[in-house]
Amino acid sequence: MIWLTWRQLRVHVLVALAVLAATALLLLVTGLQLRHSYDTDLAGCTSGCGAAEAAFLSRYTGLSYSPRAS
């Protein structure tokens, strides 16, 4: 019975795993870039960080999620 289920759904399972792997890779690369940018631009800043903060936020503003209020 499990063999029959696998034969019927294997394409769907493999596609879902491929999409999951691609999403995980995208999140990993984006997270590493975000961390590197933060460490180089903002981590050592002690005063007068407005320009660096604005540049950092403008670079990654497309990644934020804000649900629209209905």
Side-chain angles (χ1 to χ4, degrees):
M1 188 66 169
I2 292 195
W3 177 82
L4 179 62
T5 303
W6 170 248
R7 293 272 299 167
Q8 291 176 340
L9 298 176
R10 66 180 167 191
V11 172
H12 303 292
V13 169
L14 294 176
V15 168
L17 287 176
V19 168
L20 180 64
T23 303
L25 183 63
L26 176 70
L27 289 174
L28 176 69
V29 169
T30 304
L32 290 174
Q33 288 176 348
L34 186 84
R35 179 179 173 197
H36 176 72
S37 293
Y38 179 80
D39 287 344
T40 56
D41 296 341
L42 295 175
C45 190
T46 56
S47 64
C49 302
E53 182 180 351
F56 179 80
L57 291 175
S58 70
R59 185 180 309 154
Y60 293 106
T61 192
L63 297 176
S64 65
Y65 172 74
S66 57
R68 294 190 294 176
S70 315

